[in-house]
Amino acid sequence: MAVIWEREEAGVRYEVRRHGARLRLFANGVQHSEFHPKRLVTGSVWDLLWLPVLLSEPEQLKRVLILGLGGGSLIPPLRALLAPERLVAVELDPHHLAVAREVFSVVRPGEQTVLGDAVAWLKAYDGEPFDLIIEDLFAPHNDQVSRAVEADREWVTLLQRHVSDHGTLVMNFGDYPEYRQSHAADAARMAGWSSRFRLSCQDCHNAVIAFTRQPARSIHLRRRLEKHPDLGKALRKGKLDYHIRQLD
């Protein structure tokens, strides 16, 4: 893979590597984002973050918030599947945001990207709730990736407060034990959700957890995938690797 962009700051080396048309963002050798200009599917964890939108009818998810944009891998599939009326993405790392805007070039006019701390931004936010919040707050740390924000009571409660009454919350955890030890796994305290799902894939250890306000079933996600011309094709060819399990 050829390195086409690089920066180094505060002990972190950032690189964008190209393999054919596929672009990958690395920080200290750990991959943080992946983008292909002609494909929605990456075959890895980034697919797990947008797949939960297919648990609901797309027209229900018109206000979208991404916390932890990285290189912006999520924007193209969310745009294609939802055509959101409003899309806001908050990213703490200026180099990641530069990649999303200038190297991957995935941000279009009308889509708001914010350089800032996601926790502070959400605490200060006083607008309409979002129909979809994707929380993917991971930070470069030595040779591994770790969550930047603990999923404790305060943070999970704040997230819940900003999801609409028909909305979906998606959270990314390093692995399933990390989720099980977090406040988000306490069903008794996670009031207001009708369904919970765990998404995983063979290519990563992450556990992506989706919470839906409205009742949902994984078979509905599968059927919507099969009906989509590009995603259905990727599914049949085995390029869309995912496993979903309902937790309720």
Side-chain angles (χ1 to χ4, degrees), residues 63-67 86-92 112-130 133 155 158-159 162:
R63 296 175 53 81
V64 175
L65 173 63
I66 304 171
L67 299 174
R86 186 182 186 196
L87 188 150
V88 181
V90 184
E91 172 57 50
L92 180 64
Q112 181 184 1
T113 55
V114 179
L115 176 61
D117 180 89
V119 176
W121 189 91
L122 198 58
K123 284 182 177 178
Y125 179 73
D126 191 29
E128 292 182 56
F130 292 91
I133 295 181
W155 178 234
L158 182 64
L159 288 168
H162 290 289

Side-chain angles (χ1 to χ4, degrees), residues 35-231:
F35 172 65
H36 192 294
K38 295 184 179 180
R39 299 175 187 169
L40 300 180
V41 172
T42 65
S44 191
V45 63
W46 297 280
D47 299 335
L48 306 182
L49 294 170
W50 58 257
L51 274 168
V53 308
L54 297 175
L55 290 165
S56 307
E57 294 293 343
E59 58 268 19
Q60 293 181 333
L61 306 179
K62 289 302 182 184
R63 296 175 53 81
V64 175
L65 173 63
I66 304 171
L67 299 174
L69 179 64
S73 302
L74 282 175
I75 292 181
L78 292 177
R79 183 192 298 133
L81 295 173
L82 303 179
E85 295 171 358
R86 186 182 186 196
L87 188 150
V88 181
V90 184
E91 172 57 50
L92 180 64
D93 192 313
H95 299 297
H96 285 190
L97 196 55
V99 169
R101 291 171 173 169
E102 302 163 17
V103 185
F104 289 4
S105 301
V106 294
V107 182
R108 292 183 180 175
E111 297 168 342
Q112 181 184 1
T113 55
V114 179
L115 176 61
D117 180 89
V119 176
W121 189 91
L122 198 58
K123 284 182 177 178
Y125 179 73
D126 191 29
E128 292 182 56
F130 292 91
D131 304 317
L132 173 66
I133 295 181
I134 299 178
E135 187 260 35
D136 185 29
L137 296 176
F138 283 70
H141 181 264
N142 297 329
D143 60 351
Q144 62 183 359
V145 179
S146 56
R147 278 188 60 91
V149 178
E150 184 181 354
D152 58 15
R153 178 186 301 219
E154 181 182 5
W155 178 234
V156 173
T157 300
L158 182 64
L159 288 168
Q160 290 185 96
R161 189 160 68 241
H162 290 289
V163 179
S164 68
D165 58 8
H166 58 271
T168 296
L169 170 64
V170 180
M171 299 182 70
N172 190 5
F173 293 85
D175 54 28
Y176 193 60
E178 183 180 43
Y179 162 69
R180 291 296 307 159
Q181 294 165 15
S182 75
H183 180 84
D186 192 332
R189 294 177 179 175
M190 291 293 284
W193 301 107
S194 293
S195 304
R196 293 186 298 166
F197 299 86
R198 174 192 177 186
L199 292 95
S200 58
C201 66
Q202 295 181 359
D203 189 50
C204 65
H205 297 291
N206 299 59
V208 172
I209 310 298
F211 306 84
T212 65
R213 297 288 196 196
Q214 302 297 321
R217 295 178 60 200
S218 60
I219 188 61
H220 296 152
L221 183 155
R222 184 80 176 192
R223 288 171 179 168
R224 291 182 181 112
L225 279 177
E226 291 170 345
K227 289 180 180 179
H228 191 281
D230 294 331
L231 300 180

Side-chain angles (χ1 to χ4, degrees), residues 20-33:
R22 191 183 301 274
L23 301 175
R24 295 183 172 101
L25 168 62
F26 291 83
N28 282 347
V30 176
Q31 188 174 345
H32 283 258
S33 294

